Amino acid sequence: MNSVKSMMSVHPQGEPATAQALAACIEAAFACAQACDACADACAAEESTLGLRTCLRRTQDCADLCMTTGRFLSRLTDVDGNLLKTILMACRDFCSTCAMECEKHADVYAYCRMAAEACRRCEQACQDLLPRPF
Amino acid sequence: MNSVKSMMSVHPQGEPATAQALAACIEAAFACAQACDACADACAAEESTLGLRTCLRRTQDCADLCMTTGRFLSRLTDVDGNLLKTILMACRDFCSTCAMECEKHADVYAYCRMAAEACRRCEQACQDLLPRPF
Amino acid sequence: MNSVKSMMSVHPQGEPATAQALAACIEAAFACAQACDACADACAAEESTLGLRTCLRRTQDCADLCMTTGRFLSRLTDVDGNLLKTILMACRDFCSTCAMECEKHADVYAYCRMAAEACRRCEQACQDLLPRPF
Amino acid sequence: MNSVKSMMSVHPQGEPATAQALAACIEAAFACAQACDACADACAAEESTLGLRTCLRRTQDCADLCMTTGRFLSRLTDVDGNLLKTILMACRDFCSTCAMECEKHADVYAYCRMAAEACRRCEQACQDLLPRPF
């Protein structure tokens, strides 16, 4: 977290007012992407994937969008407030839906439990960043 | 287009009702991502980038999200209607905002004009796919 | 293809000597990424994925790297010849390995056959671009 | 680090022998991608970007490939040893070349210094993982 926070504090356009919440959201987004990619891969490695098919789908999509959100938030130049809101809400909704699916399997598969936790953290971090001016 | 359309027609869950519009949107999203990446790179290569700074920012973001949208739409397993709507609206808004910025420079820079056109095509393709059942 | 070729011809640093082969490789890389994403998703949708597990793995990796290669090639500013060679060889090898896996299932699954074809085309396009000065 | 390590330890095919070095490399790759994206964006925000043009280029490419490497390493199913080696060597070379460029500006721009450090850490992490059986 500290290194992301430091990186976001030395931008030519100045440190954003929300540097702390921003760094937290970037970290949460990449952590969620990693957990979702690993969960999708673990689902695919089970002998029977039938019950995990939707989980595999949701985690792939969630990983892609979290990555894109993390990259968007890592850019501070000429931020467009509407696009910021759009991507944060989209990422929050992808994480929420993915978490709900992963939670169905959390008691049986440790990776689903961990992916669900990462999704919930990212969902919350997006929500926390939403009302703030940049 | 034909190869994307063919690919989307042989899925185990059956060809989607919207295969034609879906393939068109996937093609438009990847074409827009490519044009935006090339435009961002061309902006950065100009001797003075000051007037192109916002353009560079918007095209990078637009490329990332179009790529994610193209990947999302390439998956047909257990589609979630709400997430489909969310990503299509987000992609449409990113493309629209990016197009508006690129259009400001379209008379001077051919790559901005071409990127703007690719953004408008993708914006329209997302809009066309929005009201359809999957 | 024409639009990618046009886009690569208006860069501030001038049209590259290899614009035709470059545009062909960019197109092949994105087409391969799309086909691989769709193949991975179709594999996951089969009732029994056991025989398709390796295919699902290879296509996910191949899609990611083809996307990255397509983006790299879409940038013409200050090209580093060594990195160009590195990414082209890596992409060629990922495509080749993925094609070999998909071809095992090509008689049974149309999407594996189409993904294998897209991989072979991208493998060839990378190979064609390799010896050329940029 | 702990959460990535935990996630990589619960895969159906068993915890890999190199879970510790693997988790370190995944963390380093995503941290490098984030730092490079932020550095590219900061470069673009400077009043004069002429001296930072190559830096902007290298950091964009490095961010893309580090992301792809992080995703590849997050998958443990049916690892192909040759592709693992290929992507680790490619990522190491991209990081090394990007670090060399960023280091030229490290005394003037804090973000270039931090990006260079992140590149060097990822370069080392890739190198550390290279000779190991998976």
Side-chain angles (χ1 to χ4, degrees):
Chain A
M1 186 85 79
N2 286 335
S3 63
V4 175
K5 170 80 169 58
S6 303
M7 195 73 195
M8 306 320 285
S9 304
V10 294
H11 192 273
Q13 296 186 345
E15 182 177 347
T18 55
Q20 192 68 48
L22 181 66
C25 196
I26 293 170
E27 287 275 345
F30 284 123
C32 185
Q34 198 279 327
C36 281
D37 268 333
C39 182
D41 178 71
C43 285
E46 294 291 343
E47 283 205 25
S48 172
T49 64
L50 210 53
L52 296 167
R53 204 177 57 187
T54 308
C55 190
L56 210 165
R57 169 74 210 258
R58 297 289 170 267
T59 45
Q60 286 179 304
D61 294 338
C62 194
D64 287 347
L65 188 57
C66 283
M67 216 78 91
T68 289
T69 303
R71 303 188 82 165
F72 181 96
L73 297 175
S74 295
R75 298 182 187 121
L76 296 176
T77 302
D78 301 342
V79 175
D80 178 290
N82 288 327
L83 297 186
L84 172 65
K85 206 174 151 186
T86 296
I87 197 104
L88 284 175
M89 290 197 301
C91 191
R92 179 196 62 189
D93 293 352
F94 268 60
C95 286
S96 168
T97 302
C98 187
M100 274 189 284
E101 183 60 35
C102 289
E103 284 160 2
K104 293 181 192 167
H105 317 286
D107 289 345
V108 183
Y109 301 112
Y111 48 82
C112 286
R113 179 176 50 73
M114 289 190 243
E117 290 166 359
C119 287
R120 291 295 182 199
R121 278 190 293 268
C122 187
E123 178 191 5
Q124 187 61 52
C126 289
Q127 186 63 40
D128 289 348
L129 201 56
L130 259 175
R132 303 185 183 228
F134 220 60
Chain B
M1 186 85 77
N2 286 334
S3 64
V4 175
K5 169 82 171 58
S6 302
M7 195 72 195
M8 306 320 285
S9 303
V10 293
H11 192 272
Q13 296 186 347
E15 181 176 349
T18 56
Q20 192 69 46
L22 181 67
C25 196
I26 293 170
E27 287 274 346
F30 284 123
C32 185
Q34 197 279 328
C36 281
D37 269 333
C39 182
D41 178 70
C43 286
E46 293 291 344
E47 282 205 26
S48 172
T49 65
L50 210 53
L52 296 168
R53 204 177 57 187
T54 307
C55 190
L56 209 165
R57 170 73 211 258
R58 297 289 171 266
T59 45
Q60 285 178 306
D61 294 338
C62 194
D64 287 347
L65 188 57
C66 283
M67 216 77 92
T68 289
T69 303
R71 304 189 80 166
F72 181 95
L73 297 176
S74 295
R75 298 181 187 123
L76 296 175
T77 302
D78 302 341
V79 176
D80 179 291
N82 287 326
L83 297 186
L84 172 65
K85 206 175 151 188
T86 295
I87 197 102
L88 285 175
M89 289 196 301
C91 191
R92 179 198 61 189
D93 293 352
F94 269 59
C95 287
S96 168
T97 302
C98 188
M100 274 188 285
E101 183 59 35
C102 289
E103 284 159 3
K104 292 181 193 166
H105 318 285
D107 288 345
V108 184
Y109 301 112
Y111 48 82
C112 287
R113 179 177 51 74
M114 289 190 243
E117 290 166 359
C119 286
R120 291 296 181 198
R121 279 191 292 269
C122 187
E123 178 191 4
Q124 187 61 52
C126 289
Q127 186 62 41
D128 288 349
L129 201 56
L130 259 175
R132 302 185 183 229
F134 220 62
Chain C
M1 185 86 77
N2 286 334
S3 63
V4 175
K5 170 81 171 58
S6 302
M7 194 73 195
M8 306 319 285
S9 303
V10 293
H11 191 272
Q13 296 186 346
E15 181 176 348
T18 55
Q20 192 69 48
L22 181 65
C25 197
I26 293 170
E27 288 274 346
F30 284 123
C32 186
Q34 198 278 328
C36 280
D37 269 332
C39 182
D41 178 72
C43 286
E46 293 291 344
E47 283 205 25
S48 171
T49 64
L50 210 53
L52 296 168
R53 204 176 56 186
T54 307
C55 190
L56 208 165
R57 170 74 210 257
R58 296 289 171 267
T59 45
Q60 286 179 304
D61 294 339
C62 194
D64 288 348
L65 189 57
C66 284
M67 216 78 91
T68 288
T69 303
R71 304 188 81 165
F72 181 96
L73 297 176
S74 295
R75 299 181 187 122
L76 296 175
T77 302
D78 300 342
V79 175
D80 179 290
N82 287 327
L83 297 187
L84 172 66
K85 205 175 151 186
T86 296
I87 197 103
L88 284 175
M89 290 196 302
C91 191
R92 178 197 63 190
D93 293 352
F94 268 60
C95 287
S96 168
T97 302
C98 187
M100 274 189 284
E101 183 60 36
C102 289
E103 284 160 2
K104 293 180 192 168
H105 318 285
D107 289 345
V108 184
Y109 301 112
Y111 48 82
C112 287
R113 179 176 50 73
M114 289 190 244
E117 290 166 359
C119 286
R120 290 297 181 197
R121 279 191 292 266
C122 186
E123 177 190 5
Q124 189 61 52
C126 289
Q127 187 62 41
D128 289 348
L129 201 56
L130 258 175
R132 302 186 183 226
F134 222 61
Chain D
M1 184 87 78
N2 285 335
S3 63
V4 174
K5 170 81 170 59
S6 301
M7 195 72 195
M8 306 319 285
S9 304
V10 293
H11 191 273
Q13 296 186 348
E15 181 177 348
T18 56
Q20 192 69 46
L22 181 66
C25 196
I26 293 170
E27 287 275 345
F30 285 123
C32 185
Q34 198 279 327
C36 282
D37 269 332
C39 183
D41 178 71
C43 286
E46 293 291 344
E47 282 205 27
S48 171
T49 64
L50 209 55
L52 296 168
R53 202 176 59 186
T54 308
C55 191
L56 209 166
R57 169 74 210 257
R58 297 287 172 268
T59 44
Q60 286 179 304
D61 294 339
C62 194
D64 287 348
L65 188 58
C66 283
M67 215 78 91
T68 289
T69 304
R71 304 189 81 165
F72 181 96
L73 297 175
S74 295
R75 298 181 186 121
L76 296 175
T77 302
D78 302 341
V79 176
D80 178 291
N82 287 327
L83 297 186
L84 172 65
K85 206 175 151 187
T86 295
I87 197 104
L88 284 174
M89 290 196 301
C91 191
R92 180 197 62 190
D93 293 352
F94 269 60
C95 287
S96 168
T97 302
C98 187
M100 273 188 284
E101 182 59 36
C102 289
E103 283 159 3
K104 293 180 192 167
H105 318 286
D107 289 344
V108 183
Y109 301 112
Y111 48 82
C112 286
R113 180 177 50 73
M114 288 190 243
E117 291 167 359
C119 286
R120 290 296 181 200
R121 278 192 292 270
C122 186
E123 178 190 5
Q124 188 61 52
C126 289
Q127 187 62 41
D128 289 348
L129 200 58
L130 258 175
R132 302 187 183 228
F134 221 59

